[in-house]
């Protein structure tokens, strides 16, 4: 009777495969060659509690790339013959190097059992391995054996047989390879899946990784199967290779290997391995990590790093931000002088220059922030931040792998929740993934950052860096609390163990920093020039039309006429003829009166506009957190994109006061406005931080989860933000009143 299940023995050379194979199969073995190559193929039969299992001894390999015939034979056998289970024999005395191959089996997704061999040798060398802990962290069965004496092999095979009878789908594991590679891998994977390129045998992400590793054999297979798709993939691989060369002077293969080793290291350092004899072989990276990821010093260093980053960003961006703001003021004044009053001027000045200019004005700040973050990321420090956060995250029902999505979304300031939501794909547990996905929009993304910077620069100028640090901590705190709440209610479930990649520290190259910084800054600028511009114009129209009824306009005209009639003819002539700078006191009074009437009229027009009426209607709710109707318009607009909050405030306040003599930047206008105080600003900041994710994020959540969750996220976040902002405003008012 032909045995049904194939069990493949795989592992590094000299891990003990042949020893195990011989002890399992005894005389029931057959030696031949793999078809087409002279690599020895051994097959045999093992009786597991009476059930025969076909055992195949694969050639020993260190990896599954196409570097050697053995590697190609091994992986071709795996994908073509589809053994039910791999028994991965791992040399316990060289665990770190041996697990490298294991990573690649994980990515292939074949059911895997780890045979932790040579535990006797390891013990002799003073290495103690906690197999249960290793099994928990890897999410795989790990069974300690001594192949030479046969100890533990019966249990091992029983476990393998158990897995083999469970005919399961391959479940490829997704390791993270850093932001650059993950991004392109995602795109390549989508492309491969769409084209169905070799996907009947290979997992899509695995194929994409092979393209990045420049695997000739896979690339040739790809070309034969679908030349167009293969060419596109090769292009993408070349693009990211050039990019890595330019930024960190390395190749994707090296980057991938680094991350695999990082993954292994972080498993091993979580109590899996203990050395009885202290090995003095600490590498520089490990030595730095002794301080930077120390349980007590680590968090202190982290807060110091953040504070320094914020401080540098605010300090050095202040002047250029002012210059840009002056530049846009000058532009507005010039256009006002050149274009006759009317809808066109209003559109240009209030809609476009104030709207888009307000957003573009923050480019220096964004640029510096991105540069700082690029430095932290390229140096490898961000991975350590994630590593340290794990303990805290677990207490809140999240996963260590949730940290990276948080950081991508703006956990440090200035990211974006869209890639953040997509980055949650590396989480294996669906509930932990949902909890992460729903809370990443709480981070201070690059669109919220200018709004926060603007408000803090007006009302808390002396402590901007400290306030931003506080807001960062608040964002993380609320995100964790919300996650805990979700995990206790709608997303109840088990926690899964955490393994985090710790790549070695690297000194970032200057060129690399510039490229990373510029890419993100350019995205910000491009968004301002496209999406923000479009929505600004739309909102301007909604804030301008339908205009005042004729009767009201006539009333204002009458008021003006009365003011002119009340003044003596000489004063009127002086007012009409001379420039506004050198008026006599009486004429200046007349001018002020007329400006006041104009302002009243434009405010009335704004109130009467579509957006104005909506904003006023919302005041029935927003009086609680202290938002006026202009702010309401900005907040509703902010749903389209959070930058819109600045541009809409800019438009709203400039529409309301087109004729004010000293029209200045939004910052000056808000600082002057009687409605605004540090308390209103703080309540608004809190609301902006936590209310509904922007439209793009909502769509992304729908794609990654479902529309139900998108709607949930909008409602949940807005309610939370409203409660928090009300709390801040009302408690603050109380405290101030005392
Ligand atoms: P392969 O290259 O993976 O087929 O490895 P082999 O089965 O040829 O084993 C390599 C060497 O390790 C041989 O000398 C084995 O006797 C020895 N060996 C295998 N398993 C054990 C074990 O559990 N303990 C010890 N001490 N030696 C082992
Ligand atoms: Mg052998």
């Amino acid at each position: 009777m032909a045995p049904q299940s194939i069990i493949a023995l795989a592992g590094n050379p000299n891990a003990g495969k042949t020893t195990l194979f011989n002890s399992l199969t005894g005389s029931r073995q057959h030696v031949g060659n793999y078809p087409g190559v002279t690599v020895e193929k051994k097959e045999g039969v093992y009786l597991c509690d009476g059930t025969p299992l076909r055992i195949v001894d694969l050639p020993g390999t260190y990896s599954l790339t196409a570097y050697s015939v053995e590697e190609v034979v091994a992986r071709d056998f795996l994908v073509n013959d589809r053994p039910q289970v791999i028994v991965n024999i791992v040399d316990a005395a060289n665990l770190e190097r041996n697990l490298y191959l294991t990573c690649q089996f994980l990515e292939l997704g074949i059911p895997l059992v780890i045979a932790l061999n040579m535990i006797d040798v390891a013990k002799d060398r003073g290495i103690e391995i906690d197999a249960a802990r290793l099994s928990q962290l890897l999410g795989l069965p790990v069974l300690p054996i001594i192949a030479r004496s046969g100890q533990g092999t019966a249990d091992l095979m029983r476990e393998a047989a158990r897995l083999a009878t469970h005919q399961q789908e391959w479940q490829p594991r997704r390791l993270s390879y850093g932001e650059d590679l993950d991004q392109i891998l995602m795109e390549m994977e989508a492309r491969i899946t769409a084209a169905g390129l070799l996907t009947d045998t290979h997992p899509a992400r695995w194929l994409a990784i092979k393209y990045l590793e420049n695997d000739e054999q896979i690339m040739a297979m790809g070309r034969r199967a679908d030349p167009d798709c293969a060419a596109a993939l090769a292009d993408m691989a070349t693009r990211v290779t050039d990019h890595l060369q330019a930024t960190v002077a390395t190749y994707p293969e090296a980057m991938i290997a680094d991350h695999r080793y990082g993954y292994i290291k972080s498993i091993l350092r979580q109590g899996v391995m203990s050395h009885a004899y202290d090995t003095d072989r600490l590498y520089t990276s490990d030595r730095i990590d002794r301080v930077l990821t120390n349980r007590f010093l680590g968090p202190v260093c982290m807060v110091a790093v953040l504070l320094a980053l914020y401080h540098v960003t605010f300090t050095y961006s202040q002047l250029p931000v002012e210059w840009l703001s002056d530049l846009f003021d000058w532009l507005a004044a010039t256009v006002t002088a050149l274009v006759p009053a009317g809808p066109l001027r209003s559109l240009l000045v209030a809609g476009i220059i104030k709207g888009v200019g307000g957003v573009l004005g923050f480019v220096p700040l964004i640029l510096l922030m991105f540069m700082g973050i690029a430095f932290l990321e390229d140096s490898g420090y961000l991975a350590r931040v994630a590593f340290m956060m794990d303990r805290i995250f677990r207490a809140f029902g999240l996963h260590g792998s949730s940290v990276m999505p948080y950081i991508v979304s703006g956990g440090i300031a200035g990211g974006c929740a869209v890639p953040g939501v997509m980055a949650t794909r590396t989480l294996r547990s669906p509930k932990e993934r949902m909890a992460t996905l729903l809370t990443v929009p709480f981070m201070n993304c690059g669109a919220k950052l200018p709004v926060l910077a603007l408000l803090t620069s007006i009302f808390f100028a002396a402590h901007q860096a400290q306030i931003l640090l506080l807001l960062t901590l608040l964002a993380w705190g609320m995100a964790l609390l919300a996650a805990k709440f979700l995990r206790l209610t709608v997303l109840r479930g088990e926690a899964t163990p955490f393994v985090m990649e710790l790549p070695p520290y690297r000194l970032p190259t200057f060129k690399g920093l510039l490229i990373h910084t510029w890419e993100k800054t350019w995205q910000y600028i491009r968004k301002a020039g496209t999406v923000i511009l479009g929505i600004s114009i739309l909102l301007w129209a909604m804030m301008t039309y339908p205009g005042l009824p004729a009767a009201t306009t006539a009333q204002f005209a009458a008021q003006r006429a009365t003011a002119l009639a009340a003044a003596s003819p000489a004063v009127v002539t002086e007012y009409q003829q001379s420039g506004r700078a050198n008026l006599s006191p009486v004429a200046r009074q007349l001018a002020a009166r007329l400006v006041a009437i104009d302002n009243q009229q434009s405010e009335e027009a704004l109130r009467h506009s579509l957006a104005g009426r909506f904003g006023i209607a919302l005041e029935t709710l927003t009086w609680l957190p202290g938002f006026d109707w202009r702010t309401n318009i900005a907040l509703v607009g902010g749903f389209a994109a959070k930058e819109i909050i600045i541009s809409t405030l800019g438009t709203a306040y400039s529409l309301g006061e087109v004729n004010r003599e000293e029209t200045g930047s939004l910052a000056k206008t808000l600082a002057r406005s009687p409605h605004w105080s540090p308390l209103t600003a703080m309540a608004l900041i809190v609301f902006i931080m936590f209310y509904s994710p922007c439209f793009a994020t909502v769509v992304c959540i729908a794609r990654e989860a479902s529309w139900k969750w998108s709607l949930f996220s909008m409602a949940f976040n807005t309610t939370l933000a409203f409660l928090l902002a009300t709390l801040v405003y009302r408690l603050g008012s109380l405290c101030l009143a005392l």
Side-chain angles (χ1 to χ4, degrees), residues 383-397:
R384 272 71 190 179
V385 171
F387 187 74
M388 281 186 284
M389 289 295 195
D390 170 49
R391 211 179 286 272
I392 303 172
F393 266 55
R394 207 167 320 185
F396 288 90

Side-chain angles (χ1 to χ4, degrees), residues 15-31:
K17 276 189 318 316
T18 307
T19 313
L20 178 65
F21 179 80
N22 288 341
S23 96
L24 289 177
T25 56
S27 57
R28 295 176 298 274
Q29 48 174 277
H30 158 82
V31 181

Side-chain angles (χ1 to χ4, degrees), residues 13-14 16-19 40 42 57-60:
N14 290 318
K17 276 189 318 316
T18 307
T19 313
E40 194 174 77
K42 285 202 207 160
D57 184 20
L58 292 183

Side-chain angles (χ1 to χ4, degrees), residues 2 25 37 127 203 314 318 329 381 387 393 395 471 496 562 596 641:
T25 56
V37 284
I127 303 168
F314 282 126
Q318 194 184 359
D329 286 349
Y381 183 67
F387 187 74
F393 266 55
L471 295 181
T496 53
T562 319

Side-chain angles (χ1 to χ4, degrees), residues 466-489:
Q466 288 89 332
I467 295 268
L468 186 57
L469 179 67
L470 211 73
L471 295 181
T472 304
L473 296 178
L474 178 69
W476 287 74
M478 280 316 299
L480 288 178
L481 284 177
K484 184 75 185 173
F485 172 77
L486 294 172
R487 292 283 277 142
L488 288 175
T489 53

